[in-house]
Amino acid sequence: MILTVTLNPSVDRALEVDVLIRGEVLRAGDSHIDPGGKGVNVSRALLANGVRSTAVVPAGGAEGEQLVDLLKGEGVDMVAVPITGRTRSNITLAEPDGTVTKINEAGPVLSMAEFAQVSDAVLSAARGCDWVVICGSLPPGPSVPAFAELCERLVAAGARLAVDSSGPALLAGVRAGAALVKPNREELAEAAGAELTTLGDVLDACARLRAAGAGTVLASLGADGAVLVEESGVLTGTSPVSVPRSTVGAGDALLAGFLAAGACGEAALIEGLAWGAAAVSLPGSRMPRPEDLDRTTIRIDHHPDPSRLLGRD
């Protein structure tokens, strides 16, 4: 069982347009409304591929009711924690060449009392789970120390913690001893405090996160694939997509596939890349099913021992 936690979930509306032109009246082609948020997407991807998962989400207002209804409609097992604020709505505009413009609301303010209720729900649901996966940005309200305390309590309770976030929240997960962190290129650069222009830069930044407390680092690099830095070695992989439709949720699908395949080594990286590439080929934030997966085009390369990465010329 994998427990996902999305502290700032959303209702996502995706519209396909021929070309995005500012100031013009545009007519949309296909449109989709999906439950959104990074942890929600991980649960949806796992469910689509027969892997048990439960999603913890704070939900409030009419949009919160819609989010719960959408998750129920997809058959996602969930723990919905009522809040007073309104769950956010996000809009995605996708063009035929794969260009995606995303407009995200900030989300509702969570009071410290509400965050405590969410934390209690997470700790209760985490009992007996194989992984607890906290994904996405912090909503307005909770402090980074409160988030760090949640991570520390989960690790202290024996949970295998995965964190997919950014900025101080990502670093809080690292310092708490998360077994896995999954930054994208921009989040990794922010955590490293340096521009990442080469593969060596990426590998060194991943090694620094491991040295700071993270067990394994899975870095998603968009069209350049992904990097896996773990105790047993360093792997890079690519998964080309012939007709990209939407990148929304691709990193979440990558994480879901990696976890579903054991979260360790080449086989797990291949599975993650296959799920991520399949998500890019689907509209909106649709999550891939087994029939969407193609592992034949994935390329994996092995690299030096991670302990030798830092301080290279």
Side-chain angles (χ1 to χ4, degrees):
M1 167 69 81
I2 296 173
L3 182 72
T4 69
V5 183
T6 309
L7 296 172
N8 200 10
S10 61
V11 174
D12 284 359
R13 179 184 295 273
L15 306 173
E16 295 189 359
V17 297
D18 290 334
V19 62
L20 181 60
I21 305 174
R22 290 184 61 198
E24 295 290 332
V25 176
L26 307 177
R27 295 194 180 276
D30 289 342
S31 63
H32 312 275
I33 298 180
D34 298 303
K38 296 177 73 63
V40 165
N41 288 336
V42 171
S43 279
R44 294 171 63 223
L46 291 169
L47 174 66
N49 290 272
V51 181
R52 290 185 62 207
S53 170
T54 296
V56 177
V57 292
E63 288 82 357
E65 294 177 3
Q66 185 178 22
L67 171 66
V68 170
D69 288 342
L70 288 168
L71 288 170
K72 286 181 178 177
E74 292 192 8
V76 176
D77 184 34
M78 75 181 123
V79 177
V81 181
I83 59 172
T84 57
R86 177 183 61 83
T87 297
R88 63 180 177 157
S89 295
N90 296 334
I91 297 174
T92 297
L93 302 175
E95 299 174 69
D97 64 354
T99 301
V100 171
T101 303
K102 203 163 190 296
I103 305 171
N104 290 349
E105 289 188 332
V109 173
L110 257 64
S111 68
M112 290 306 297
E114 288 173 329
F115 187 76
Q117 290 176 335
V118 174
S119 297
D120 289 343
V122 171
L123 288 160
S124 177
R127 298 190 187 102
C129 288
D130 298 309
W131 282 91
V132 178
V133 187
I134 305 180
C135 298
S137 60
L138 292 182
S143 63
V144 173
F147 175 77
E149 181 182 357
L150 172 59
C151 293
E152 290 163 1
R153 291 175 69 187
L154 285 165
V155 172
R160 284 195 294 175
L161 174 65
V163 175
D164 179 2
S165 190
S166 60
L170 173 64
L171 293 176
V174 170
R175 295 187 185 109
L180 170 67
V181 295
K182 196 216 73 64
N184 61 27
R185 190 197 306 268
E186 292 74 23
E187 293 160 352
L188 184 61
E190 182 182 13
E195 186 177 357
L196 308 180
T197 58
T198 67
L199 176 59
D201 294 337
V202 171
L203 295 180
D204 281 347
C206 291
R208 286 189 170 90
L209 290 185
R210 290 195 70 244
T216 293
V217 181
L218 174 65
S220 55
L221 305 177
D224 293 325
V227 167
L228 175 63
V229 180
E230 56 187 355
E231 185 67 31
S232 61
V234 179
L235 302 173
T236 59
T238 55
S239 51
V241 178
S242 56
V243 183
R245 295 189 67 181
S246 174
T247 58
V248 178
D252 309 325
L254 166 71
L255 176 57
F258 183 74
L259 291 168
C264 179
E266 183 172 342
L269 181 58
I270 289 173
E271 198 69 5
L273 287 166
W275 290 33
V280 173
S281 69
L282 296 171
S285 57
R286 297 284 179 89
M287 291 293 107
R289 297 182 177 275
E291 59 268 24
D292 300 314
L293 304 179
D294 180 8
R295 303 169 184 85
T296 61
T297 61
I298 294 172
R299 174 179 173 177
I300 300 293
D301 292 310
H302 295 253
H303 296 271
D305 185 292
S307 64
R308 300 180 181 178
L309 293 175
L310 293 176
R312 294 174 302 172
D313 293 334

